[in-house]
Amino acid sequence: MQLFEERINLVLHWFDLWTQRQRKYMLHCVLTRCTKSQLRYCRDLLSETLPTTQADFTAVLPRFLSLYIMSFLSPLDLCSAAQVSWHWRVLSEQDCLWAGRCIRQGWFLPYMPGEKEFGAWKNHFISCINTSVMLTTHQAAHYQTSSGQSYDWEEEEEDEEIVTERLTRQMIRAKIHEEKRIALRSRKAWSSSTKLGGSGGGRPTSQAIALGTARRTSGPPDLSLSASSGLSLERNMGQNSSRASGPLSKYVSRPAPPEPSGISRHPAKSLLLLSNKIPAYELVLSGAKADVIVVLYDHRATLSALWSQVEGAASGRTFERLGLLVPGGTQEVHLFHNSCLSDRNILTPAHRDFWEKVSILVEPAEQGGAIDIFSPCAASASGVALMQKLAALTGLKVWAPAGLATGTFQNILSDWSDGSIGAIGHAKPQPGGPALRYISEPVLLGWCRQAHWMDDALKEMKTCLEFRLQQVGLQARARALGHSLWESVCLEDLCLSEDLSLALTEGLARLSKQPETRPLEFLAAFLTKWSDNEETRDEKQASDVALMSGLPQTQLDWRGVIVRELQLSEDLYISRLSAIVKAYQEPLTAAVNSNRAILSLADMLVVLSPVAKILHLNSEFKADLDVRVQQWGAEQCVGDVCLKLCAHLRVYTNYLNNYTTALSTVDKCRDAKPAFRAFLKRTDRTLATHMLSLQELLLCPVWRIQEYGTLLQALTLHTHASHPDHAHVSSALNTLQRYSHFIQMLKRNCERERLLEETQQMIRGCPSLREGNRQLVTSQDADLLHSTNEHIPESLRAFEHVADVSLFLFTDVLMLTRRQKQHTPFTLVHRSTHTFLASVPLASLAVRKITHSRYVKHAFILEAPSRSWVCATERGDEMDHFLAVLSGAMRTTLTSA
């Protein structure tokens, strides 16, 4: 034992002489040789020496939790905590802890704090406390008046300023309390508008909370809380700061800062949810009215992500109406690319929870609250059922177009119904006013009639202006593009009145049907005759309206209205098909017969022969329809005529299967044959072709099938089950719906092939992407991070930005590419190139977030079986959206496997 003690003392003597590094190495060697029982003894001994229950919580907890705990301390306790250590002082003097205390007392910071300024609100609180004590003493000396005492005018003026200040503070306290009770519903330690690092201690931001100018009034000043947060205040008490005086003058010496970009200067009356899948959505966004808040969302998002956007845009406000402008048809609304809203799934937990939360933001139906769906859901029984279920779920009225106007988006301009009609449905729909609540009339008319053409122009503008608009937010960038298109095209000058547009259309149609050597004189005579008959038409229309208003609603002939719309639109459709035959097929055939072929006979058969067959089929359909309309009555039937058309839909099937080949043939011949190129230049976009090109005319049969479905759904809705035409119309509708699904499948396949081809060409060294049923889901730009020390926790680890990457998410694999920017000399233009980096199957991929800290934010880790990547996005919403889509794709892959 004596020998053991001597050796122990010798080892301890050596231990005292060693360096810190040698001591740690010695301990490491000893602990690795210990047994489990000996290690447990060491653990207990360390717990007694350094108990974890007495650890510094500010060093263990994340920064935002430490700040939340300190937010419950009183100002005196915070000052005491600042004396504990340097770290505690930094935390206890954060502006987020002192700004709320100052504002609740009515003390506002008289200047905008700098980004690196420290403790501005605490110093202001202390100075105001001292000033308040002095004012109280001074106030007591001047307010104790008695009989025989005379007023000093200077003292009276100063007393008025003190009273005004007190009233101001009381009003602010009442406003804050009301805002918290209604909007916040729960206490928060700080607000996003004060100077505060992000949820994990990111870069601090600050926003001045300033008063407007104080104008002397007989009553208390008018204060209103900004909707963005409980701490951001706006005082509307005048415009001239020189009018301010008294104790409040030091708080109003500087003008108020500009409002945040997300808050409108006008009171918001409506909220519009706008999907970026809508063609030319930029133009719609630029035409939004001043009292409308637009939420532009990605169609690849999820319901939870959409609710986060809506909640942030609302900021505790309520709206009179909610608009929904997204892709959709007569039976369902396509909120997202893989999710639709219909009467079958509206009561699922996800949709039910979303719409219940959204309905809270809309005023009750008794006060005019309603939901406006821009898709023609009121034209079908399924759509009406969707509207009724949504109305029962939200307690609001749901409006939608009745679908009595043909055209891709022109249904929005037709009459609107509130969905209260039943399956028989003879209630008179309301006029198309709801759409004009959100978008100005010239923009709405131009967009509804020319959305597809505008979309092509906007795509070109995006390509040209992308380098200038990359750093701008999505909504601001879309508004800029929409305004630019509106100013360059001058669509407002092209918007004509309905009567003038109808007269010109009819006159040009008459002019195209007969050869005229003097077309201007013919058109002038036609317009003169049209003007003479205008009064007669107005009188007849007035009598018809009076007659309709006098009849019971159950006697209104809505079937006749729909059938006449079918007849008129069929006449226009046939005239466009005839334009293809007369303007293209007949001249090209005559050139072949004269041995001066512009286009070979084989190419003509591929491009134009199917159109002639469709024209023959629809001409017979139009003739049968004209006979029924001429003999129209309450019991007249048109379902058998529609069934006859549906029986020959194989002609359309052959056309659609050959459609892609026909377009490629036209492009190939235009590039290879100068005579055909010159022919197209002479013929395209002329009066004979309805101002359309050959490619646009070839798209008309696809649009017409969709119009058939909308009109027949409206006809079914207004045809009683006991009517002899009900069975035939329902059968034709079922056939056209199945055919519409076939067209949608062709569109999706074509879009998938196009995206895969563009991605394949974009990425250098990319492996073949055409495998199985692969589709491109989404892509995301990110920063590739790297850490030299991987042994410390991720929240404390320092990362460096090593490269720019892009993440391409497919249905079965995630591909990483290295992104590089190449700038053009002497210009601002640059282009991005992608180089293949790696690809990971979704079945073997793991994803986890990295907690926000002062070293990293918006970061996540992609873990593959052999390696991992640390990526970070520019904004938090980008990361949340990408990870939500990625997790959904991974679940789908695992389920299918």
Side-chain angles (χ1 to χ4, degrees):
M1 181 61 66
Q2 183 180 1
L3 180 62
F4 176 73
E5 291 179 357
E6 292 177 355
R7 292 182 176 178
I8 285 293
N9 293 331
L10 181 61
V11 171
L12 293 178
H13 176 70
W14 289 343
F15 189 83
D16 294 336
L17 297 178
W18 288 339
T19 62
Q20 186 74 9
R21 182 176 180 182
Q22 291 172 338
R23 291 179 181 182
K24 291 181 180 180
Y25 182 72
M26 175 64 183
L27 292 176
H28 175 74
C29 295
V30 172
L31 292 177
T32 54
R33 293 175 178 268
C34 294
T35 62
K36 291 185 178 180
S37 60
Q38 295 167 349
L39 291 175
R40 281 194 292 269
Y41 172 77
C42 295
R43 180 195 61 189
D44 298 337
L45 182 62
L46 290 174
S47 298
E48 294 177 2
T49 307
L50 297 173
T52 56
T53 55
Q54 299 178 9
D56 185 1
F57 73 92
T58 61
V60 177
L61 296 178
R63 179 188 177 95
F64 73 97
L65 288 180
S66 301
L67 290 173
Y68 184 74
I69 293 173
M70 288 189 172
S71 67
F72 292 94
L73 298 179
S74 64
L76 185 61
D77 293 335
L78 284 175
C79 294
S80 300
Q83 303 176 11
V84 174
S85 64
W86 177 86
H87 184 59
W88 279 54
R89 179 187 175 187
V90 172
L91 291 178
S92 61
E93 293 186 356
Q94 290 295 314
D95 288 343
C96 63
L97 301 177
W98 294 94
R101 291 172 169 83
C102 290
I103 294 173
R104 282 193 291 271
Q105 299 296 330
W107 302 330
F108 301 93
L109 202 62
Y111 65 95
M112 174 79 72
E115 292 185 357
K116 297 183 179 180
E117 186 173 353
F118 182 72
W121 282 96
K122 179 183 177 180
N123 297 332
H124 185 60
F125 183 88
I126 295 174
S127 64
C128 289
I129 283 289
N130 299 331
T131 305
S132 177
V133 175
M134 295 175 60
L135 284 176
T136 304
T137 306
H138 188 68
Q139 179 181 357
H142 288 276
Y143 270 92
Q144 294 177 354
T145 59
S146 59
S147 60
Q149 288 182 327
S150 61
Y151 285 97
D152 186 4
W153 291 108
E154 295 182 358
E155 294 178 356
E156 183 180 359
E157 182 178 355
E158 188 172 0
D159 292 343
E160 289 183 3
E161 295 298 338
I162 294 174
V163 173
T164 302
E165 183 177 4
R166 293 176 57 192
L167 292 176
T168 301
R169 294 174 182 174
Q170 293 177 3
M171 182 66 68
I172 291 173
R173 294 191 193 105
K175 288 288 185 180
I176 292 177
H177 178 73
E178 184 69 17
E179 181 73 12
K180 285 186 176 182
R181 186 182 67 82
I182 296 178
L184 299 180
R185 304 295 178 91
S186 62
R187 182 185 186 279
K188 292 185 178 181
W190 57 81
S191 175
S192 60
S193 61
T194 59
K195 183 177 181 181
L196 172 66
S199 58
R203 181 180 179 181
T205 59
S206 63
Q207 178 179 341
I209 304 176
L211 280 173
T213 56
R215 177 169 296 179
R216 192 182 305 270
T217 56
S218 58
D222 182 18
L223 298 177
S224 60
L225 279 174
S226 173
S228 60
S229 65
L231 298 181
S232 179
L233 299 176
E234 178 184 1
R235 184 180 183 181
N236 302 320
M237 297 170 57
Q239 301 297 329
N240 188 2
S241 59
S242 63
R243 299 285 298 274
S245 61
L248 283 180
S249 60
K250 63 179 180 179
Y251 300 121
V252 299
S253 58
R254 295 173 62 92
E259 294 180 342
S261 59
I263 300 180
S264 174
R265 294 180 179 271
H266 305 272
K269 295 183 179 180
S270 304
L271 178 67
L272 177 62
L273 305 185
L274 178 63
S275 171
N276 67 344
K277 188 65 174 176
I278 292 292
Y281 67 87
E282 296 89 348
L283 186 62
V284 177
L285 192 61
S286 67
K289 292 188 175 180
D291 58 352
V292 176
I293 290 183
V294 183
V295 176
L296 176 63
Y297 72 93
D298 194 336
H299 76 286
R300 300 167 298 183
T302 58
L303 282 173
S304 58
L306 178 57
W307 168 245
S308 299
Q309 283 188 260
V310 172
E311 189 178 24
S315 300
R317 287 170 288 188
T318 57
F319 303 92
E320 294 181 2
R321 300 181 80 94
L322 171 68
L324 193 63
L325 181 51
V326 299
T330 55
Q331 294 181 320
E332 58 189 14
V333 178
H334 300 283
L335 288 175
F336 309 106
H337 75 289
N338 58 354
S339 175
C340 63
L341 179 66
S342 63
D343 63 324
R344 298 182 299 274
N345 64 358
I346 189 175
L347 298 180
T348 56
H351 285 287
R352 187 184 187 95
D353 179 66
F354 174 78
W355 288 106
E356 285 178 349
K357 291 188 292 187
V358 167
S359 63
I360 300 176
L361 305 178
V362 186
E363 294 182 355
E366 296 79 9
Q367 301 179 11
I371 299 176
D372 301 318
I373 302 177
F374 284 63
S375 300
C377 295
S380 67
S382 300
V384 171
L386 169 62
M387 297 167 61
Q388 292 173 347
K389 290 182 179 180
L390 185 59
L393 180 62
T394 59
L396 305 169
K397 278 193 173 184
V398 181
W399 296 82
L404 300 182
T406 54
T408 308
F409 296 103
Q410 295 193 39
N411 290 313
I412 298 174
L413 304 178
S414 65
D415 295 331
W416 287 55
S417 173
D418 64 351
S420 60
I421 56 178
I424 303 176
H426 296 287
K428 182 179 179 180
Q430 299 295 324
L436 298 177
R437 294 176 178 265
Y438 305 90
I439 309 167
S440 60
E441 184 174 0
V443 176
L444 181 65
L445 294 177
W447 177 78
C448 289
R449 295 168 179 171
Q450 303 180 26
H452 290 291
W453 288 269
M454 293 178 183
D455 192 47
D456 294 337
L458 284 165
K459 287 179 180 178
E460 295 294 332
M461 294 177 65
K462 289 177 188 176
T463 305
C464 299
L465 301 178
E466 181 181 8
F467 64 95
R468 296 185 181 179
L469 300 176
Q470 275 188 345
Q471 303 301 325
V472 188
L474 177 62
Q475 186 165 337
R477 182 172 56 204
R479 284 184 184 273
L481 288 172
H483 281 297
S484 179
L485 175 68
W486 183 264
E487 293 175 359
S488 59
V489 181
C490 298
L491 293 173
E492 188 174 6
D493 299 336
L494 300 178
C495 293
L496 304 177
S497 65
E498 186 176 356
D499 294 337
L500 181 58
S501 177
L502 182 61
L504 288 176
T505 303
E506 185 68 23
L508 292 175
R510 296 280 184 88
L511 182 61
S512 62
K513 291 181 180 179
Q514 52 188 355
E516 284 289 337
T517 57
R518 307 178 71 181
L520 294 179
E521 286 77 358
F522 173 82
L523 189 59
F526 177 82
L527 293 177
T528 303
K529 184 178 179 181
W530 180 278
S531 177
D532 295 337
N533 297 333
E534 186 175 4
E535 294 183 1
T536 305
R537 288 193 302 271
D538 292 341
E539 294 176 358
K540 182 179 179 181
Q541 184 178 4
S543 61
D544 292 342
V545 171
L547 181 61
M548 292 176 65
S549 61
L551 289 175
Q553 290 186 349
T554 55
Q555 298 181 11
L556 294 179
D557 186 16
W558 294 115
R559 296 185 70 250
V561 174
I562 298 169
V563 172
R564 290 184 182 90
E565 177 63 28
L566 177 62
Q567 181 190 27
L568 293 176
S569 58
E570 186 69 18
D571 192 8
L572 177 61
Y573 175 55
I574 290 179
S575 65
R576 290 180 175 177
L577 294 180
S578 301
I580 300 177
V581 175
K582 294 180 180 179
Y584 294 97
Q585 187 176 17
E586 293 180 358
L588 292 175
T589 304
V592 170
N593 295 334
S594 62
N595 294 327
R596 296 180 180 178
I598 300 176
L599 194 65
S600 65
L601 185 59
D603 293 334
M604 288 176 53
L605 292 177
V606 171
V607 177
L608 302 175
S609 179
V611 178
K613 297 179 181 178
I614 293 178
L615 176 60
H616 177 71
L617 173 63
N618 282 85
S619 298
E620 295 181 352
F621 172 69
K622 176 64 167 53
D624 296 338
L625 193 62
D626 290 340
V627 174
R628 302 299 173 90
V629 172
Q630 292 175 0
Q631 303 173 359
W632 186 255
E635 299 298 323
Q636 184 62 270
C637 299
V638 294
D640 54 340
V641 178
C642 298
L643 276 179
K644 181 180 178 182
L645 175 66
C646 294
H648 298 85
L649 285 180
R650 181 171 296 182
V651 177
Y652 279 88
T653 303
N654 296 334
Y655 176 81
L656 293 173
N657 290 332
N658 188 62
Y659 176 68
T660 305
T661 306
L663 288 182
S664 60
T665 302
V666 173
D667 295 336
K668 180 185 66 176
C669 295
R670 185 187 63 247
D671 296 336
K673 300 180 179 181
F676 183 63
R677 187 187 310 119
F679 173 77
L680 290 180
K681 187 175 294 186
R682 293 192 308 268
T683 311
D684 283 348
R685 304 188 188 281
T686 58
L687 184 62
T689 62
H690 296 259
M691 304 306 296
L692 300 174
S693 64
L694 176 60
Q695 292 84 351
E696 294 165 352
L697 289 171
L698 292 177
L699 193 57
C700 291
V702 180
W703 294 343
R704 188 55 181 168
I705 291 294
Q706 298 174 351
E707 293 175 356
Y708 282 147
T710 302
L711 292 172
L712 286 185
Q713 282 178 337
L715 187 61
T716 306
L717 181 64
H718 295 282
T719 303
H720 195 272
S722 60
H723 196 280
D725 201 24
H726 185 271
H728 290 164
V729 174
S730 300
S731 178
L733 176 60
N734 293 333
T735 303
L736 286 172
Q737 286 177 343
R738 291 194 300 269
Y739 205 80
S740 297
H741 292 323
F742 167 70
I743 295 177
Q744 294 299 326
M745 182 189 67
L746 292 178
K747 286 183 178 181
R748 287 194 298 268
N749 294 339
C750 185
E751 182 72 12
R752 181 189 65 187
E753 294 293 330
R754 183 183 63 83
L755 290 176
L756 287 180
E757 183 178 356
E758 291 178 355
T759 307
Q760 185 87 46
Q761 296 176 356
M762 184 192 310
I763 303 173
R764 298 176 181 175
C766 179
S768 177
L769 298 176
R770 299 179 181 274
E771 297 180 2
N773 242 350
R774 178 174 295 165
Q775 300 181 27
L776 178 63
V777 180
T778 185
S779 61
Q780 177 63 51
D781 294 338
D783 302 331
L784 185 63
L785 308 180
H786 178 68
S787 176
T788 56
N789 193 345
E790 299 182 355
H791 300 290
I792 62 177
E794 294 169 351
S795 58
L796 303 177
R797 191 183 305 170
F799 293 89
E800 60 177 347
H801 181 193
V802 296
D804 294 331
V805 296
S806 293
L807 308 175
F808 292 89
L809 176 61
F810 298 90
T811 51
D812 60 338
V813 69
L814 177 66
M815 181 180 297
L816 287 83
T817 63
R818 185 183 299 272
R819 189 178 74 257
Q820 295 178 336
K821 289 184 179 180
Q822 297 179 354
H823 289 78
T824 304
F826 305 106
T827 64
L828 298 175
V829 181
H830 72 268
R831 62 186 183 92
S832 298
T833 59
H834 298 265
T835 305
F836 177 76
L837 192 62
S839 62
V840 185
L842 297 183
S844 59
L845 180 67
V847 184
R848 56 189 177 91
K849 291 184 180 180
I850 298 179
T851 306
H852 289 357
S853 67
R854 60 183 298 182
Y855 306 105
V856 65
K857 59 191 305 186
H858 313 318
F860 54 93
I861 299 179
L862 302 173
E863 295 181 342
S866 58
R867 60 173 301 185
S868 62
W869 301 269
V870 180
C871 302
T873 59
E874 288 287 338
R875 303 192 308 271
D877 56 349
E878 291 181 350
M879 181 190 69
D880 295 337
H881 165 68
F882 179 74
L883 293 184
V885 177
L886 177 59
S887 60
M890 293 170 61
R891 287 194 301 268
T892 304
T893 303
L894 295 176
T895 303
S896 60

